[in-house]
C-alpha cells in the first residue's frame, strides 16, 4: 500500500491530527484510496516558533523511514511515500520534500 504523510493546516498555531476534522479526513483518505495515512503532530506556535514546525515535519518523515514498526512495513510500501497537507500543512509538506531531497535517511 502507498503511504501518505499528511500535515494538518491551522497556520502553525491551531489544530492537530487528533481533532475530529483531521481524523475524519485522514480516515476517509485511507479508506477511499486504500493507502496508509500517517498524520503528523508537530509543535505549534506561539510556544514553538518557526522553523520548529519544518524541523518536526522532516523528523517525522525520517522516523517513518528508519523505524521498524510492527505490522507497518508488512502493509505499507515506504518506497512509495507521498507528502500532503492543507493550508500551512501544504506549505510544510513542500518544505519537507525540499529538505528531504538533500538529506540521506
Amino acid at each position: 500500500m502507498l503511504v501518505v504523510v499528511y500535515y494538518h493546516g491551522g497556520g502553525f498555531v491551531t489544530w492537530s491530527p487528533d481533532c475530529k476534522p483531521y481524523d475524519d479526513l485522514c480516515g476517509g483518505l485511507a479508506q477511499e484510496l486504500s493507502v496508509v495515512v500517517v498524520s503528523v503532530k508537530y509543535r505549534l506556535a506561539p510556544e514553538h516558533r518557526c522553523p520548529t514546525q519544518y524541523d518536526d515535519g522532516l523528523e517525522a518523515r525520517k522516523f517513518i523511514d528508519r523505524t521498524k514498526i510492527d505490522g507497518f512495513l508488512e502493509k505499507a510500501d515506504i518506497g512509495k511515500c507521498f507528502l500532503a497537507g492543507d493550508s500551512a500543512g501544504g506549505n510544510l509538506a513542500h518544505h519537507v520534500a525540499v529538505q528531504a531531497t538533500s538529506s540521506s535517511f
Side-chain angles (χ1 to χ4, degrees):
M1 295 176 84
L2 301 175
V3 177
V4 175
V5 179
Y6 191 84
Y7 301 95
H8 66 84
F12 299 134
V13 179
T14 62
W15 300 101
S16 70
D18 55 357
C19 69
K20 184 156 176 47
Y22 284 111
D23 186 52
D24 290 349
L25 173 70
C26 291
L29 285 173
Q31 188 173 16
E32 290 293 318
L33 301 176
S34 296
V35 298
V36 174
V37 178
V38 177
S39 187
V40 177
K41 185 171 187 171
Y42 54 84
R43 292 175 286 176
L44 301 175
E47 293 84 0
H48 304 281
R49 297 184 65 174
C50 200
T52 301
Q53 296 79 16
Y54 298 119
D55 297 338
D56 289 353
L58 183 60
E59 284 305 311
R61 178 59 190 90
K62 288 179 180 179
F63 177 84
I64 293 164
D65 196 58
R66 70 176 175 242
T67 304
K68 304 292 185 232
I69 303 169
D70 288 337
F72 181 71
L73 292 178
E74 294 161 4
K75 295 186 180 197
D77 183 354
I78 197 65
K80 295 179 181 170
C81 182
F82 296 87
L83 306 179
D86 67 295
S87 190
N91 179 290
L92 186 50
H94 166 77
H95 282 276
V96 169
V98 169
Q99 289 175 331
T101 61
S102 62
S103 298
S104 60
F105 55 91

